[in-house]
C-alpha cells in the first residue's frame, strides 16, 4: 500500500517541484473558486441540509468527511517526512507552517467526523470532488512552503509571520468552538433544526464558516505565497455563499430569528 502511495507522491513531486507548475495550479484553483462563487449565487452546494437527488449514491456523513479530508492530512505528512524532501533542513518557521496545516486537518479528519450526529449522507459526486481537491490542495500547500524555504531576516517579516499564525489559530478556535455548539444544538434531538445561539452565533449565522475563512486568511499572511492565497480565495468563494444560504434558511424557517444577526461578517453582512 505505502509503496503505491510513494509512487504517486514521486509523480506529485515531479509535477510541483517547479514554481511554474505550482503557480499554474494555484491560478486554476482561484479560477475554480471564483466560478463556484458565481454559480452559488443561483444554487446551493448539494450536501448537508441542501442535499438533493441527481448527485450520485449517498455516502454516510461520518465516512465521507473522514475519507475526503484524509488526503489533506496524509499527503502533506508523507511529502514532508518522506524521502523526497529532508524535513529537517527546513527553517523553523516553515516547519511551523506545515504543522499548522496538519493541525487543522488532523482535527478535520480524525475528530470532527466523530462529533457528527445525524448528519445527512453526502452524495457521491460532491464527495469525489472533495477528495480530489483535498489531495491536490494538500500537495500544493506543502510545496508552496517547501519551495519558499528562505530565512526570515527582517522585523516586518517576523511580524507578518507571527500575526498570520495568531490569526490562523484564532480562526481555528472560532471554527472548532462553533462546530461544537452546532453539535450540541442537534444532540439528542429528532433532527429538527434549531436557532444556533451563543459565542459568535449571536452576531452571525455562519460563525463556523467565519472561523475557517479567518484561518486560511491567516495562513496566507503567514506563508505569503501564491498557493496559500489561492486556498484563501477558494475557501472564501465556497463557504462564504454557504453562510448566506444558511442565514436565508434560518430566516425563512424561524419567525423569531434575530433580526440583527448577519450572515458572515458581524454588523456588516
Amino acid at each position: 500500500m505505502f509503496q503505491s502511495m510513494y509512487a504517486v507522491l514521486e509523480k506529485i513531486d515531479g509535477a510541483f517541484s517547479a514554481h511554474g507548475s505550482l503557480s499554474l495550479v494555484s491560478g486554476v484553483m482561484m479560477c475554480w473558486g471564483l466560478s463556484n462563487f458565481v454559480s452559488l449565487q443561483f444554487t446551493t452546494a448539494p450536501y448537508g441540509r441542501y442535499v438533493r437527488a441527481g448527485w450520485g449514491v449517498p455516502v454516510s456523513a461520518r465516512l465521507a468527511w473522514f475519507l475526503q479530508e484524509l488526503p489533506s492530512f496524509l499527503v502533506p505528512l508523507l511529502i514532508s517526512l518522506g524521502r523526497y524532501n529532508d524535513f529537517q533542513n527546513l527553517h523553523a518557521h516553515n516547519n511551523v507552517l506545515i504543522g499548522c496545516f496538519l493541525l487543522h486537518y488532523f482535527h478535520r479528519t480524525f475528530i470532527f467526523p466523530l462529533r457528527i450526529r445525524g448528519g445527512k449522507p453526502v452524495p457521491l459526486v460532491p464527495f469525489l470532488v472533495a477528495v480530489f481537491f483535498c489531495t491536490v490542495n494538500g500537495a500544493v500547500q506543502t510545496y508552496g512552503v517547501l519551495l519558499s524555504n528562505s530565512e526570515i531576516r527582517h522585523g516586518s517579516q517576523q511580524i507578518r509571520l507571527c500575526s498570520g499564525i495568531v490569526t490562523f489559530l484564532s480562526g481555528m478556535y472560532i471554527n472548532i468552538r462553533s462546530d461544537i455548539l452546532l453539535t450540541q444544538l442537534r444532540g439528542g434531538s429528532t433532527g429538527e433544526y434549531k436557532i444556533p445561539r451563543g459565542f459568535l452565533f449571536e452576531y452571525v449565522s455562519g460563525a463556523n464558516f467565519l472561523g475557517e475563512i479567518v484561518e486560511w486568511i491567516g495562513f496566507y499572511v503567514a506563508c505569503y505565497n501564491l498557493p496559500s492565497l489561492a486556498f484563501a480565495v477558494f475557501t472564501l468563494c465556497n463557504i462564504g455563499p454557504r453562510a448566506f444560504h444558511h442565514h436565508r434558511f434560518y430566516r425563512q424557517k424561524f419567525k423569531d430569528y434575530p433580526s440583527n444577526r448577519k450572515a458572515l461578517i458581524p454588523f456588516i453582512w
Side-chain angles (χ1 to χ4, degrees), residues 187-206:
S189 72
T190 59
E192 287 293 320
Y193 288 100
K194 300 177 183 178
I195 298 176
R197 300 188 186 278
F199 191 45
L200 293 186
F201 283 114
E202 297 299 323
Y203 304 97
V204 295
S205 300

Side-chain angles (χ1 to χ4, degrees), residues 52-79:
R52 51 190 181 270
W55 291 89
V57 297
V59 182
S60 70
R62 282 186 173 180
L63 180 62
W65 278 101
F66 170 73
L67 291 178
Q68 72 187 32
E69 303 295 315
L70 181 60
S72 284
F73 177 80
L74 197 57
V75 170
L77 187 65
L78 292 177
I79 290 174

Side-chain angles (χ1 to χ4, degrees), residues 36-268:
N36 286 349
F37 179 82
V38 173
S39 66
L40 289 173
Q41 306 307 305
F42 307 99
T43 187
T44 55
Y47 66 93
R49 68 190 66 181
Y50 311 112
V51 66
R52 51 190 181 270
W55 291 89
V57 297
V59 182
S60 70
R62 282 186 173 180
L63 180 62
W65 278 101
F66 170 73
L67 291 178
Q68 72 187 32
E69 303 295 315
L70 181 60
S72 284
F73 177 80
L74 197 57
V75 170
L77 187 65
L78 292 177
I79 290 174
S80 300
L81 300 179
R83 55 195 174 90
Y84 311 107
N85 293 283
D86 185 359
F87 195 59
Q88 301 302 319
N89 286 338
L90 285 178
H91 291 293
H93 67 276
N94 281 348
N95 286 327
V96 172
L97 293 174
I98 293 177
C100 285
F101 193 85
L102 290 173
L103 178 65
H104 172 90
Y105 281 104
F106 178 85
H107 171 267
R108 187 61 72 181
T109 302
F110 299 105
I111 299 176
F112 174 76
L114 297 178
R115 291 203 183 106
I116 296 176
R117 299 179 183 178
K120 291 181 171 61
V122 180
L124 184 62
V125 172
F127 164 69
L128 292 177
V129 170
V131 171
F132 171 76
F133 176 81
C134 286
T135 302
V136 173
N137 187 56
V140 168
Q141 299 309 318
T142 306
Y143 280 104
V145 173
L146 294 174
L147 293 175
S148 58
N149 184 29
S150 57
E151 186 177 358
I152 290 191
R153 300 178 180 275
H154 306 291
S156 59
Q157 293 176 313
Q158 294 175 344
I159 292 173
R160 173 181 53 74
L161 174 68
C162 293
S163 61
I165 292 173
V166 169
T167 302
F168 173 87
L169 294 176
S170 300
M172 188 172 180
Y173 171 76
I174 294 170
N175 179 245
I176 293 175
R177 183 172 177 184
S178 300
D179 279 338
I180 291 173
L181 288 175
L182 289 175
T183 300
Q184 294 172 343
L185 192 68
R186 294 175 64 86
S189 72
T190 59
E192 287 293 320
Y193 288 100
K194 300 177 183 178
I195 298 176
R197 300 188 186 278
F199 191 45
L200 293 186
F201 283 114
E202 297 299 323
Y203 304 97
V204 295
S205 300
N208 51 329
F209 301 126
L210 173 61
E212 189 156 357
I213 290 170
V214 169
E215 269 189 89
W216 299 120
I217 290 176
F219 190 70
Y220 161 65
V221 172
C223 294
Y224 205 61
N225 58 29
L226 185 58
S228 58
L229 173 61
F231 189 29
V233 170
F234 187 91
T235 302
L236 177 62
C237 288
N238 279 274
I239 63 177
R242 194 165 181 84
F244 172 75
H245 296 155
H246 279 22
H247 185 66
R248 182 177 61 190
F249 170 87
Y250 288 129
R251 293 184 66 180
Q252 291 174 348
K253 186 173 180 62
F254 301 105
K255 301 298 183 183
D256 59 338
Y257 196 71
S259 59
N260 62 335
R261 191 177 296 186
K262 302 301 182 180
L264 183 65
I265 305 175
F267 312 113
I268 298 176

